[in-house]
């Protein structure tokens, strides 16, 4: 049940709702739960949440010119310009606070193919959770 809770928290954290899956992960590491299962639960939940963002973005394309859509064509064009500056490899940074979740939504709107999206997001988010685990264990320090 602990791993499912972490999965759900990480899933929600990847959507546009703010939660801190890292805090739960750290607490569970300190309670000495199985590290690989914690890493898999957090990574899979977070990646699946990003896939939901991608799908929502893909579906929002149908409503791109509707006046009731919460973002304008100008905002979409600006986001597309920024995204295309770095290309799909920007998805490696989908784990970043504030910009990461919208990045996955924009990828859907811009019709980034799903499999490259999934691979890049999984690498980025998997490495982020691995880093959190290693820092919690004291294996890696920032300074």
């Amino acid at each position: 049940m602990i791993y499912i809770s972490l999965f759900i928290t990480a899933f929600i954290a990847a959507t546009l709702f703010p939660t801190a899956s890292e805090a739960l992960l750290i607490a569970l590491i300190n309670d000495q739960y199985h590290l690989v299962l914690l890493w898999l639960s957090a990574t899979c939940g977070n990646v699946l949440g990003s896939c939901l963002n991608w799908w929502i973005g893909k579906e929002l394309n149908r409503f791109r010119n509707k006046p009731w859509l919460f973002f304008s064509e100008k905002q979409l064009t600006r986001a597309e310009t920024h995204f295309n500056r770095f290309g799909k490899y920007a998805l490696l940074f989908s784990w970043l606070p504030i910009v990461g979740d919208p990045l996955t939504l924009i990828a859907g709107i811009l019709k980034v193919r799903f499999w490259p999206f999934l691979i890049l997001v999984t690498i980025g988010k998997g490495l982020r959770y691995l880093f959190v685990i290693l820092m919690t264990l004291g294996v890696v320090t920032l300074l």
Side-chain angles (χ1 to χ4, degrees), residues 22-139:
E22 294 85 357
L24 179 57
L25 176 60
I26 291 167
L28 295 174
I29 292 167
N30 290 329
D31 286 344
Q32 299 184 343
Y33 282 93
H34 193 280
L35 294 176
V36 172
L37 293 178
L38 290 174
W39 178 78
L40 283 171
S41 298
T43 300
C44 290
N46 211 245
V47 168
L48 189 59
S50 292
C51 290
L52 176 63
N53 291 344
W54 177 87
W55 179 80
I56 290 170
K58 185 174 88 67
E59 293 302 311
L60 280 175
N61 255 332
R62 294 186 291 160
F63 308 108
R64 194 165 179 156
N65 296 317
K66 300 293 183 188
W68 48 263
L69 196 59
F70 56 89
F71 43 80
S72 68
E73 190 64 33
K74 181 179 177 182
Q75 290 171 311
L76 282 174
T77 302
R78 188 167 35 128
E80 185 174 0
T81 300
H82 289 301
F83 188 87
N84 288 334
R85 177 199 277 162
F86 300 103
K88 65 184 175 191
Y89 294 102
L91 291 167
L92 290 168
F93 298 97
S94 62
W95 58 270
L96 285 170
I98 301 170
V99 297
D101 301 336
L103 187 62
T104 59
L105 183 75
I106 295 296
I109 291 171
L110 298 179
K111 300 176 184 171
V112 172
R113 290 188 0 240
F114 180 72
W115 289 111
F117 168 88
L118 182 63
I119 290 167
L120 293 168
V121 168
T122 301
I123 290 169
K125 290 176 181 273
L127 288 174
R128 182 258 319 258
Y129 283 117
L130 178 61
F131 183 74
V132 170
I133 290 170
L134 294 175
M135 281 200 55
T136 304
L137 295 174
V139 175

